[in-house]
Amino acid sequence: MKRLFRILFAAAFLVCMASIALLFNYYKENREGSTEYQTLMAQAVTIRMDAGDSDQQFSQNTEITQQAGVLKNPPALLIDFDELRKVNGDVVAWIDFPGQSISYPIVQGEDNEHYLKYTFEGKRNSAGCVFMDSRNSGLMIDGNTIIYGHNMKN
């Protein structure tokens, strides 16, 4: 009986340690993915707050006024696609929802599997990347353009 207890305790301990390792890896990958997008934004995105304002580099602290659920003076993003193509030639567009913390490059691979597990920079990561369906033209001229992505809540 004592031996059975030790075996069960050891098994429970190993399961617990494996779970902690998996959680650590999950959070590490999410942090790496977020850092990658912040670096891309700093390199390739310029934000114009108003047509009369001068351009300024993208900043996470940029304030956008919001009143009664309506975004006032949403920023205009100026995307340097040549700079993005230096990092990843599969880039086809940029998706942005002002005031919603959604602003990402969109890539299009040869299939709909690769970017589920790889970041924009091509690193293996469970966070994946926002990507366009491989069957779309890539020029946004199709009747419907399908974009895949998921909310990582970070």
Side-chain angles (χ1 to χ4, degrees):
M1 185 68 161
K2 197 173 188 181
R3 182 177 174 173
L4 179 62
F5 176 76
R6 285 184 182 170
I7 291 172
L8 289 176
F9 181 79
F13 181 75
L14 289 175
V15 167
C16 183
M17 295 308 288
S19 298
I20 290 171
L22 289 172
L23 281 173
F24 175 77
N25 188 52
Y26 173 78
Y27 286 111
K28 179 180 165 252
E29 285 185 347
N30 284 341
R31 187 177 60 213
E32 288 171 353
S34 293
T35 302
E36 182 178 307
Y37 281 123
Q38 289 172 355
T39 302
L40 285 171
M41 289 178 145
Q43 290 174 345
V45 178
T46 304
I47 188 168
R48 178 173 276 175
M49 292 305 291
D50 189 16
D53 291 348
S54 61
D55 294 344
Q56 61 186 24
Q57 276 305 109
F58 182 84
S59 169
Q60 294 292 350
N61 298 326
T62 302
E63 290 188 29
I64 301 168
T65 58
Q66 192 170 8
Q67 229 173 21
V70 177
L71 196 61
K72 303 286 183 184
N73 300 322
L77 299 183
L78 304 173
I79 311 298
D80 185 351
F81 283 99
D82 291 332
E83 189 69 29
L84 289 173
R85 282 186 193 95
K86 290 178 186 176
V87 178
N88 186 334
D90 289 343
V91 66
V92 292
W94 191 280
I95 188 167
D96 181 64
F97 291 92
Q100 299 297 316
S101 300
I102 298 172
S103 188
Y104 300 104
I106 299 174
V107 294
Q108 184 179 34
E110 294 180 12
D111 60 41
N112 290 336
E113 299 293 322
H114 178 75
Y115 285 110
L116 287 172
K117 297 290 182 188
Y118 287 87
T119 66
F120 184 85
E121 293 180 355
K123 298 174 185 169
R124 184 155 178 77
N125 189 314
S126 62
C129 184
V130 179
F131 64 97
M132 182 184 297
D133 194 290
S134 63
R135 296 168 290 187
N136 285 117
S137 70
L139 301 173
M140 302 281 188
I141 58 173
D142 299 311
N144 294 297
T145 300
I146 302 169
I147 306 292
Y148 298 100
H150 56 275
N151 185 354
M152 299 298 293
K153 298 187 187 217
N154 57 359

